[in-house]
């Protein structure tokens, strides 16, 4: 009954929308789509696959020729030019990723498409460069066609393969053999283990180069300015603080009630109390205002001055301190604060840094 009702609704809708079309343009009746058959995967099956992949990776580690790995890494370390990577298909994706990793570590590197190379991009190569070719079989035609052209440019050629005695290895100056027991794929065809060991090998070499070149955390951060780690290592207080007209300032002799607009309008949750030479004398916060209203009553409340109730020993920070240090200082005992006045070595107020500002900057 449900099927008949659904079919009738479809036919009615079809008649209302297509009824005016000529017979030659009329659409045939569409069969109802059956819901897909749900298949279940047992936990044991999945667990066994992970264990098998782990065993395949262990085979790679146990059989890798570390003398080849060392020679490969040393060659890249001593390269005077750019380290190019190339590959086709999944190996190409891995080669591209490894190249990008090296770039992020301040090492000159680039991915060279074997197809585009034969249509002009090979002009990027020079005799000072190294070209690393990733291929599981070592018989990839696109890479084999690239070799004589790259050799004519004087490039040092390295193949990274998993099949012994292959054409690519025989044509290059150096070969690194990545031992492959078999693919995890039940047909031993889908490149899921071979690409995994390529990635592990390439990324491990990248970190070895990073250590050998003594890359500092600051240099690494400079290449990641948009990320949180980059911002935490690059941004200083002066880069994110509020300045000049943005500062909620007042004098210690000002009446508290006359400074309420200044207290609320600058979005800092405080007043920065200064003298005539802009030296910081203290801070007056929203909390101080609440305590003032509790203590004072009647006309006395309107006579209180900022200097009577301000904090004379606020936490401060210098403009050249790291922004992440300012956040740590705000959160330190005995109680967290929402802002820090920024002063120079003569205690002159030059800005304010707020927790909201740090969060907005991505720290």
């Amino acid at each position: 009954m449900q099927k008949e009702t659904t079919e009738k609704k479809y036919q009615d809708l079809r008649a209302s929308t297509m009824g005016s079309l000529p017979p030659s343009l009329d659409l045939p009746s569409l069969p109802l789509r059956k819901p897909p058959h749900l298949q279940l995967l047992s936990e044991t099956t999945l667990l066994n696959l992970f264990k098998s992949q782990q065993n395949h990776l262990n085979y790679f580690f146990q059989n890798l020729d570390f003398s080849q790995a060392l020679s490969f890494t040393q060659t890249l370390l001593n390269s005077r030019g750019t380290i190019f990577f190339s590959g086709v298909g999944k190996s190409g994706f891995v080669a591209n990723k490894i190249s990008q990793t090296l770039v992020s570590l301040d090492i000159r590197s680039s991915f060279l498409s074997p197809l585009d190379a034969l249509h002009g991009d090979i002009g990027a190569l020079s005799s000072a460069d190294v070209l690393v070719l990733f291929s599981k079989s070592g018989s990839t035609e696109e890479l084999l066609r690239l070799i004589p052209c790259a050799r004519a440019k004087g490039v040092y050629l390295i193949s990274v393969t998993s099949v012994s005695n292959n054409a690519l290895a025989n044509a290059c100056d150096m070969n690194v053999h990545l031992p492959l027991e078999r693919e995890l794929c039940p047909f031993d065809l889908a490149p899921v283990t071979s690409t995994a060991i390529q990635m592990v090998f390439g990324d491990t070499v990248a970190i070895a180069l990073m250590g050998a070149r003594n890359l500092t955390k600051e240099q690494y951060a400079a290449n990641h300015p948009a990320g949180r780690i980059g911002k935490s290592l690059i941004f200083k207080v002066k880069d994110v603080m509020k300045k000049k007209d943005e500062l909620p300032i007042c004098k210690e002799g000002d009446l508290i009630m006359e400074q309420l607009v200044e207290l609320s309008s600058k979005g800092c949750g405080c007043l920065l109390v200064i003298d005539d030479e802009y030296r910081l004398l203290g801070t007056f916060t929203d909390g101080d205002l609440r305590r003032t209203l509790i203590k004072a009553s009647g006309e006395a409340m309107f006579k209180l001055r900022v200097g009577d109730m301000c904090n004379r020993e606020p936490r401060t920070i210098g403009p050249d301190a790291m922004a992440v240090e300012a956040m740590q200082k705000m959160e330190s005992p005995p109680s967290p604060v929402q802002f820090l006045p920024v002063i120079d070595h003569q205690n002159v107020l030059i800005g304010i840094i707020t927790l909201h500002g740090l969060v907005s900057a991505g720290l």
Side-chain angles (χ1 to χ4, degrees), residues 221 223-235 361-363:
N223 293 334
H224 299 76
R228 185 171 184 178
I229 184 173
K231 290 177 180 178
S232 67
L233 293 172
I234 294 176
F235 281 13
L363 292 164

Side-chain angles (χ1 to χ4, degrees), residues 236-249 266 268 272 278 319 342 349-353:
K236 294 186 176 182
V237 168
K238 61 185 176 184
D239 298 321
V240 293
M241 71 181 186
K242 291 186 176 184
K243 310 170 187 175
K244 298 180 180 179
D245 295 339
E246 300 176 289
L247 302 182
I249 58 174
K266 297 298 177 67
C268 297
L272 302 175
Y278 237 75
V342 184
L349 179 69
I350 56 177
I352 184 173
I353 187 167

Side-chain angles (χ1 to χ4, degrees), residues 47 71 74 79 85 92 109 135 139 144 154 159 161 174 205 209 212 225 237 266 280 307 351:
L47 180 60
S71 296
Q74 198 71 48
S79 172
F85 289 82
S109 182
S135 171
S139 59
L144 291 172
S159 61
T161 60
M174 176 189 295
V205 168
L209 294 174
V237 168
K266 297 298 177 67
L280 182 70

Side-chain angles (χ1 to χ4, degrees), residues 8 29 41 55 91 93 121 148 152 160 192 194 229 292 305 360:
K8 185 176 185 306
S29 297
L41 177 68
N55 291 334
S91 294
F93 293 143
D121 284 5
V160 181
V192 291
S194 57
I229 184 173
T292 298
R305 302 186 184 278
S360 299

